Amino acid sequence: MTKRDYYEVLGVPREASEEEIKKNYRKLALRYHPDKNPGDKTAEERFKELGEAYEVLSNPEKRAAYDRFGHAAFVPGARAGAGGGSGPQWGGFHDPFDIFREVFGGAVGGNIFDDFFEQAFGGGRGGGGRGNDLRYDLEIDFEEAARGVEKEVSFNVLDTCPECDGRGAAEGAKVETCPTCHGRGQVAHTRGFFTVASTCPRCNGSGQTISNPCKRCGGEGRTQQRRKTKVRIPAGVEDGSRLRSSGHGEAGTRGDPHGDLYVVVHVRPHDLFVRQDDDLLCEIPIRFSTAALGGEIEAPTLEGSARLKIPAGTQHGTMFRLRGHGMPNVHGRGKGDLLVRVTVEVPTKLSRQLREKLEEFAALANDEAYPQRKSFLEKAKRFFSGK
């Protein structure tokens, strides 16, 4: 659930130049690209992590914000459509080949290099490949984040065609290997000193030809559908956490595997509590008389309330700790604490009787009743006397 430092992800120091960041990203992205590591979920996650880090550190403004605030610079506030209104969005993972397009795109064309690198990885496009990942922004209440909750989310997605069961062919139609590309989905072209590959014009990269395509999906094997799925939000989840629901993304073309659904959790602010890791901070105003004489107050907690003893002579801003009344740790390591900061409230409306009593109190109280004030005055006196 915790994001790694972006500089650590890319293996560069914080003072690294743009060129160093680009160079390291290109090297690591090629190493962990899914086409070079088929079926390796760890490599896939690493590849996405690299893209996320590069997207921030390659942008001067985003990098400056990250250097100052860390990951908190990109924690979204209230956003339009969060919680299902906008449905899923593309995952936004950075494409490592954008680097190559920057270098070569103007000279020989971006599409040529897209195809060239697919050929270099030996994958080809036969079958269309795994479906795209999706992102869904889900907004939950603070209390739901504390106790955990199961939510049903609904969104539009390209899913397996129910008519042809993802084959792309009408009932009884033949699905044959494309005679032009021999099932690779690509055809080779010689351009000067380079031999590059491009999408097969006959099968459009699928590697197969269909005598009678499915009328519902047009031979793609998937159609736009409305899907509902339940997502379990663990107790203690933090704002901005990203949860993966495997296999709930887009379907691949013609029966290829589904992508994943990434649910980004946004926790609504609470009226009383502010979260600091697993601790909660709450500010409670108390009467002047309670601070001076001592007493007990009711402190709100996520479970209800707790009694808090206020010692006589408590100063404004004093912090008290109620152990075990914070947020649960998302990894099951107990609970944080509730930190109560008391603020001494000075009365603003005084009756005649109250004013008389306070004036009497002020006349009787000497500097011994105010040790902090007494200490300050002594220091000020030495300062102005030059001693």
Side-chain angles (χ1 to χ4, degrees), residues 55-77:
E55 185 178 358
V56 171
L57 298 187
S58 63
N59 182 302
E61 293 181 2
K62 290 182 179 179
R63 183 180 180 183
Y66 179 76
D67 286 345
R68 186 174 179 185
F69 301 109
H71 294 297
F74 306 103
V75 173

Side-chain angles (χ1 to χ4, degrees), residues 30-348:
L30 289 175
R31 181 191 303 172
Y32 292 103
H33 195 280
D35 287 351
K36 292 191 72 175
N37 303 273
D40 188 341
K41 290 292 184 182
T42 301
E44 181 183 328
E45 288 299 313
R46 185 81 169 89
F47 178 76
K48 292 174 181 178
E49 184 183 43
L50 287 165
E52 184 180 319
Y54 182 74
E55 185 178 358
V56 171
L57 298 187
S58 63
N59 182 302
E61 293 181 2
K62 290 182 179 179
R63 183 180 180 183
Y66 179 76
D67 286 345
R68 186 174 179 185
F69 301 109
H71 294 297
F74 306 103
V75 173
R79 54 176 66 195
S86 62
Q89 305 166 9
W90 303 116
F93 304 118
H94 194 274
D95 182 353
F97 301 125
D98 284 346
I99 296 175
F100 296 101
R101 295 188 188 101
E102 292 173 13
V103 178
F104 300 109
V108 292
N111 289 335
I112 294 174
F113 271 83
D114 287 347
D115 296 330
F116 175 82
F117 282 103
E118 284 175 16
Q119 185 187 48
F121 289 133
R125 291 190 183 179
R130 178 179 175 274
N132 286 312
D133 293 335
L134 297 179
R135 166 177 169 151
Y136 190 98
D137 290 280
L138 177 65
E139 196 170 53
I140 64 174
D141 291 330
F142 197 91
E143 290 85 350
E144 291 177 323
R147 66 174 181 265
V149 67
E150 186 174 76
K151 291 282 188 178
E152 184 177 74
V153 297
S154 177
F155 51 92
N156 292 322
V157 62
L158 279 172
D159 210 346
T160 303
C161 175
E163 188 75 25
C164 64
D165 198 28
R167 293 175 65 247
E171 187 175 354
K174 289 183 178 180
V175 179
E176 300 176 336
T177 300
C178 175
T180 301
C181 65
H182 305 290
R184 286 183 54 82
Q186 297 176 329
V187 290
H189 301 278
T190 301
R191 299 173 184 266
F193 296 104
F194 293 97
T195 298
V196 296
S198 62
T199 302
C200 176
R202 183 163 185 172
C203 66
N204 199 30
S206 69
Q208 298 173 331
T209 57
I210 302 173
S211 60
N212 184 17
C214 171
K215 289 183 173 56
R216 183 162 182 176
C217 65
E220 188 177 351
R222 54 185 187 171
T223 57
Q224 191 73 230
Q225 301 174 41
R226 190 73 178 170
R227 183 194 291 173
K228 292 182 180 180
T229 188
K230 290 184 178 180
V231 179
R232 189 182 68 82
I233 310 298
V237 67
E238 293 189 55
D239 183 68
S241 296
R242 190 175 65 176
L243 309 176
R244 184 176 71 176
S245 182
S246 297
H248 286 95
E250 283 191 354
T253 55
R254 298 191 185 176
D256 281 320
H258 284 69
D260 297 331
L261 172 67
Y262 287 87
V263 178
V264 181
V265 180
H266 306 288
V267 182
R268 297 185 187 96
H270 197 276
D271 291 338
L272 297 177
F273 305 116
V274 174
R275 182 171 182 172
Q276 295 179 344
D277 296 324
D278 291 337
D279 292 336
L280 294 178
L281 174 64
C282 179
E283 194 168 83
I284 302 179
I286 62 174
R287 295 180 177 182
F288 166 77
S289 57
T290 303
L293 302 175
E296 279 192 345
I297 63 171
E298 290 280 345
T301 71
L302 288 173
E303 300 82 19
S305 64
R307 302 292 296 177
L308 177 62
K309 185 176 181 181
I310 305 296
T314 293
Q315 299 299 307
H316 175 86
T318 299
M319 192 81 76
F320 297 91
R321 182 182 295 269
L322 292 173
R323 298 195 178 277
H325 286 282
M327 289 289 281
N329 181 273
V330 74
H331 301 294
R333 301 175 190 142
K335 285 187 174 183
D337 301 331
L338 174 63
L339 305 176
V340 177
R341 180 177 181 268
V342 296
T343 58
V344 179
E345 185 175 13
V346 177
T348 55

